[in-house]
Amino acid sequence: MAEKSLPVSAQPRIVIVGGGFGGIELAKRLKNKDVQVLMLDRHNYHTFQPLLYQVATGGLEADSIAFPLRKIFKGYKNFTFRVAEVQKVIPERKILETSIGDIKYDYLVLATGSDTNFFGQKEVEHYSMAMKTIPEALNLRSMILQNMEEALIEQDAHIKDSLMNFVVVGGGPTGVELSGALAELKMHVLPNDYPELDINNMDIYLIEGSPDLLGSMSATASRKAKDFLEEMGVTVLTNVRVLGYDGKQISLSSGQSIPSKNVLWSAGVKGSIIDGISPDMLVRGGRIRVDEFNKIPSLDCIYALGDVAAMVSDEYPNGHPGVAPAAIQQGKTLAKNLLKIINNQQPEPFKYNDKGSMATVGRNKAVVDIGKIRFQGVFAWFVWMFVHLMSLVGFRNKVVTFVNWVWSYFSFDRGTRLIIRRFSRESMTEDPLAK
Ligand SMILES: Cc1cc2nc3c(=O)[nH]c(=O)nc-3n(C[C@H](O)[C@H](O)[C@H](O)COP(=O)(O)OP(=O)(O)OC[C@H]3O[C@@H](n4cnc5c(N)ncnc54)[C@H](O)[C@@H]3O)c2cc1C
């Protein structure tokens, strides 16, 4: 298919696939330089993934954590954006196959982020819920509320149990935050909304395959997060793996089976890879191996950054952590390097500045590790809120989120528990934007 309605320019064209943290930073740093920048994304907005769990649990509206990509780049003279699903790269011809036709590039940057990894467990993938995108978070919100509504009218005690039991799989930051938010719903919101239900029958489980929660953080953070969750009534099962899930019952390696229609999967990620990137270019976690300049070694003029890329080194044998600062910092360095490469100068190797990590469990409960400094509890929670508020894209989003948080803090309420569109598995598989 021929290239449609793209500006013609004598400048080299840099195509960025993905308007996530990395892609945005890269495009911003190329503002009004002597290059033509074309960004492609399947959505017309940027998603602030760290707060997806609040959308899923009725704490925030989806549009508080999304921001239109066109608005970010308003006034950029050398920038074009198109909504497009990129399907394939043909490196020999320097062409991308996309849902809006073929697109030529001089330099290509893959900033496609990551997908949920179900480790080949097809049945688990079909029946459980992932949470990497806004449509998925909204599906999750609808499912939680729909199942509570169903529990209300269900006569069979076993089915009622399965509608009210929640199993979160994966004890990383997402799993910890999600199970904490569910525990808060159970404590403060659902008893008021569903007075006819015995909310004590709602059990929340967090399943983690390794010995500790928050494996990438310090032992203190990990222990404290577990204590916080247990205080909030979450059953934390470590060293336990999921063997199967048929939509009604989840079986665990401990021999236990839990009846649940609410299994939320946050146990793994893999690089979001397009066709044309061959399996031998991938490393552990399905990420694309790149050199210290973010270039894919065997391909001319093709780069990858952020979650989809793995810059393997002695210090980071699995690549840098899949977090927003790593993607942003790579975007910043790669912008400088692409300009240098175009001008036949020597690029500079990327150096990661680890700013620490944090996770929240619930009201007044968070854990923070910054280098050797570790703290937990109320102060950590305020630090977590401040950092996330400041990182949100868009002034309006910051204000709306701040007001929501203050309101929830004093009222113990969550204002957005709406079933705007009913969730059904069929709509999820049919609609590509449900991804
Ligand atoms: C639930 C959750 C919580 C998180 N919490 C934190 C946190 O607290 N702190 C932190 O630092 N990090 C957190 N992360 C990780 C962080 O969000 C990622 O590391 C970061 O988003 C990676 O940025 P990226 O630019 O590589 O990709 P992304 O931000 O994922 O962006 C990728 C973009 O590519 C687009 N895309 C993908 N494939 C295609 C295609 N084929 N065609 C067109 N477009 C495509 C997508 O639509 C998306 O816009 C969290 C992630 C999740 C899922």
Side-chain angles (χ1 to χ4, degrees):
M1 213 192 295
E3 196 170 78
K4 278 195 286 203
S5 329
L6 285 171
V8 178
S9 163
Q11 295 168 328
R13 181 189 281 174
I14 300 176
V15 177
I16 304 171
V17 186
F21 286 101
I24 289 177
E25 187 64 25
L26 171 63
K28 279 185 175 172
R29 302 268 167 179
L30 294 172
K31 181 181 182 181
N32 299 345
K33 304 286 183 206
D34 290 334
V35 289
Q36 183 197 3
V37 180
L38 170 62
M39 178 180 280
L40 307 170
D41 198 297
R42 60 165 73 102
H43 299 293
N44 74 340
Y45 55 83
H46 164 69
T47 303
F48 189 75
Q49 291 176 342
L51 293 180
L52 276 173
Y53 80 96
Q54 296 213 358
V55 172
T57 53
L60 287 174
E61 267 305 343
D63 51 9
S64 317
I65 68 156
F67 199 83
L69 286 164
R70 289 182 185 283
K71 198 164 163 180
I72 297 176
F73 300 105
K74 200 171 133 200
Y76 282 45
K77 295 202 169 50
N78 62 336
F79 178 87
T80 309
F81 174 73
R82 292 287 182 267
V83 171
E85 175 79 30
V86 176
Q87 288 135 355
K88 185 174 179 180
V89 56
I90 307 175
E92 316 79 71
R93 295 169 54 212
K94 287 195 161 185
I95 277 181
L96 282 175
E97 285 181 5
T98 83
S99 56
I100 57 165
D102 291 354
I103 290 176
K104 292 193 197 111
Y105 63 83
D106 294 305
Y107 297 87
L108 172 65
V109 180
L110 300 174
T112 46
S114 54
D115 288 330
T116 305
N117 194 349
F118 293 91
F119 305 102
Q121 300 189 73
K122 288 282 168 216
E123 209 181 30
V124 175
E125 177 170 356
H126 180 73
Y127 287 112
S128 66
M129 301 290 284
M131 193 193 59
K132 282 207 69 75
T133 63
I134 285 181
E136 285 177 345
L138 288 173
N139 282 338
L140 197 45
R141 181 176 89 186
S142 295
M143 185 197 76
I144 294 169
L145 297 167
Q146 284 170 219
N147 282 351
M148 295 313 286
E149 295 293 335
E150 260 192 63
L152 206 55
I153 52 174
E154 181 57 58
Q155 299 298 315
D156 181 304
H158 186 76
I159 300 179
K160 202 184 193 82
D161 247 10
S162 70
L163 288 162
M164 291 179 70
N165 285 341
F166 287 79
V167 181
V168 179
V169 187
T174 303
V176 166
E177 289 168 358
L178 201 46
S179 39
L182 287 168
E184 291 199 322
L185 269 185
K186 176 183 170 181
M187 282 188 279
H188 306 302
V189 178
L190 299 177
N192 298 323
D193 277 9
Y194 302 96
E196 300 133 275
L197 274 181
D198 182 358
I199 220 68
N200 292 322
N201 288 336
M202 173 176 171
D203 289 320
I204 303 163
Y205 298 85
L206 176 60
I207 314 288
E208 166 56 36
S210 74
D212 300 306
L213 299 182
L214 300 177
S216 58
M217 294 185 72
S218 64
T220 321
S222 151
R223 201 180 47 247
K224 200 68 197 167
K226 185 166 184 266
D227 292 347
F228 282 147
L229 284 169
E230 286 174 344
E231 268 169 40
M232 293 163 78
V234 175
T235 306
V236 179
L237 303 176
T238 50
N239 278 321
V240 170
R241 282 175 302 105
V242 172
L243 298 183
Y245 178 51
D246 61 3
K248 297 179 194 132
Q249 188 118 330
I250 182 163
S251 356
L252 307 176
S253 59
S254 55
Q256 211 176 343
S257 278
I258 303 169
S260 177
K261 293 202 173 212
N262 308 291
V263 171
L264 321 180
W265 187 266
S266 64
V269 290
K270 58 180 180 189
S272 180
I273 305 296
I274 56 170
D275 286 352
I277 301 296
S278 58
D280 59 294
M281 296 175 199
L282 307 183
V283 297
R284 197 164 171 258
R287 297 169 93 188
I288 306 170
R289 182 192 278 271
V290 294
D291 64 17
E292 69 267 46
F293 310 110
N294 281 95
K295 186 177 172 301
I296 304 175
S298 51
L299 298 177
D300 266 353
C301 304
I302 305 187
Y303 298 77
L305 59 73
D307 278 10
V308 75
M311 196 182 284
V312 176
S313 64
D314 290 343
E315 201 180 347
Y316 296 100
N318 297 318
H320 297 103
V323 291
I328 292 169
Q329 291 174 29
Q330 288 181 3
K332 191 172 159 186
T333 308
L334 184 55
K336 272 194 258 170
N337 281 341
L338 283 173
L339 295 174
K340 284 187 176 171
I341 289 162
I342 289 167
N343 291 309
N344 294 318
Q345 293 164 0
Q346 184 57 33
E348 62 183 73
F350 173 73
K351 198 158 173 17
Y352 179 51
N353 174 13
D354 186 352
K355 294 184 174 165
S357 38
M358 55 184 78
T360 182
V361 186
R363 159 189 297 259
N364 297 334
K365 294 181 177 72
V367 292
V368 175
D369 289 352
I370 304 173
K372 295 217 172 339
I373 305 168
R374 274 117 212 226
F375 48 100
Q376 305 87 32
V378 182
F379 181 60
W381 189 61
F382 279 103
V383 170
W384 180 92
M385 281 199 295
F386 179 76
V387 167
H388 283 75
L389 204 58
M390 289 303 111
S391 312
L392 264 173
V393 180
F395 180 69
R396 180 193 162 277
N397 286 358
K398 288 186 174 61
V399 173
V400 172
T401 301
F402 178 69
V403 170
N404 253 285
W405 284 353
V406 173
W407 167 258
S408 302
Y409 189 75
F410 290 107
S411 66
F412 287 82
D413 198 10
R414 284 172 175 254
T416 60
R417 39 190 197 279
L418 312 171
I419 307 171
I420 299 280
R421 41 168 215 182
R422 281 191 72 76
F423 161 71
S424 76
R425 281 185 202 288
E426 291 63 41
S427 67
M428 236 171 100
T429 38
E430 278 162 22
D431 177 4
L433 281 186
K435 287 213 288 177

